[in-house]
Amino acid sequence: MRTQLLVLTLFISALANTVQAKTSANEIREAATSFLEAFAATQAEKGYQVTFETGSIDSRISLAPCSAPLAVEFTGDPWKSDHPSVQVACSGERPWRMFVTTSVSINGPALVAARPLGRGERVTSGMLKTRSVVVNASRRGIITDANLVEGMVIRRPVNAGSAITPDLLEAPDAVSRGDHVIITARNGFFSVRSRGKALASASVGDQILVENLASSRTVRANVTAPGHVEIPM
């Protein structure tokens, strides 16, 4: 009888410990929420307002106990998605991990078009203004410094109030088709200059065909500055 009571007592004790030791859905939710609160606080110091919600977690979930603090991290870039997921993981003796869906909104200043902008227009400061936008709603990124885009060219029409994103801009042509240019043939410290005519339009860093006006030969050259191209010797 005593043996049976001892076995029953040990069984009940083990069962109780097992139930108590499980990692619950509430603990996982609290870990994810604490992580997002810390993220929001960090961004607030930089001038961004972050609001968030965690997705639902099945209350019946029951994972192995974790002997170490739960680790939480984004599985993607929260600045490029308003529904990033977070990974909650245990690195203890019985490691596990699970993913929690979230809804994250990051609001902050960004450059937008002050008026409708047409393709080919060169950007000036008067064409832009700053307003608060949902930064992570656009996967194309935002721009906050007008000095970085002044002088750039609009690639396609932009509506008034639309955020200015990097893909809407391109560098202006340093050389236009038909322009007379200076051709520099360089070999180490030695160089020779001649005059030529550009056979295409291009920006700095692009490669184009240029006609050497002295020899009438066509050469391939790199655009190095407005009105200047260079070929290796």
Side-chain angles (χ1 to χ4, degrees):
M1 185 67 177
R2 291 180 180 178
T3 302
Q4 291 178 336
L5 288 173
L6 177 60
V7 171
L8 181 59
T9 300
L10 291 175
F11 175 76
I12 294 174
S13 176
L15 182 61
N17 289 336
T18 300
V19 172
Q20 291 177 350
K22 293 293 185 181
T23 302
S24 68
N26 190 53
E27 289 176 286
I28 294 169
R29 184 180 298 104
E30 287 178 354
T33 300
S34 296
F35 170 78
L36 292 171
E37 287 174 344
F39 174 75
T42 299
Q43 302 314 314
E45 295 175 356
K46 302 176 183 179
Y48 295 96
Q49 181 182 5
V50 178
T51 57
F52 64 86
E53 290 182 2
T54 57
S56 60
I57 302 174
D58 191 341
S59 60
R60 297 169 298 178
I61 196 168
S62 184
L63 297 171
C66 191
S67 57
L70 295 179
V72 187
E73 63 180 1
F74 285 113
T75 59
D77 188 348
W79 292 89
K80 295 182 179 179
S81 172
D82 53 2
H83 286 87
S85 64
V86 296
Q87 175 183 279
V88 180
C90 171
S91 58
E93 297 177 357
R94 300 172 61 186
W96 51 260
R97 63 177 180 173
M98 72 168 294
F99 300 94
V100 179
T101 59
T102 69
S103 175
V104 178
S105 179
I106 305 174
N107 287 266
L111 292 177
V112 302
R115 60 169 177 80
L117 306 180
R119 182 178 181 273
E121 284 194 78
R122 188 165 293 197
V123 177
T124 64
S125 58
M127 299 162 60
L128 309 171
K129 63 181 180 180
T130 300
R131 79 171 190 191
S132 182
V133 302
V134 181
V135 176
N136 58 334
S138 172
R139 297 184 180 183
R140 296 177 295 174
I142 61 163
I143 301 173
T144 59
D145 188 349
N147 292 325
L148 297 178
V149 299
E150 196 160 351
M152 299 288 279
V153 176
I154 300 295
R155 297 182 61 187
R156 57 179 181 272
V158 182
N159 294 326
S162 295
I164 302 299
T165 55
D167 63 302
L168 293 174
L169 306 170
E170 62 185 359
D173 289 337
V175 173
S176 297
R177 181 184 177 89
D179 282 356
H180 282 202
V181 297
I182 301 299
I183 303 173
T184 301
R186 189 181 303 278
N187 183 6
F189 296 104
F190 177 74
S191 63
V192 177
R193 289 190 170 189
S194 58
R195 298 189 65 82
K197 183 173 71 174
L199 302 181
S201 299
S203 302
V204 172
D206 292 342
Q207 193 175 78
I208 60 170
L209 292 177
V210 178
E211 179 186 355
N212 187 311
L213 296 179
S215 64
S216 297
R217 292 180 56 191
T218 298
V219 296
R220 190 175 297 276
N222 295 315
V223 179
T224 57
H228 289 263
V229 301
E230 185 175 301
I231 58 175
M233 292 180 61

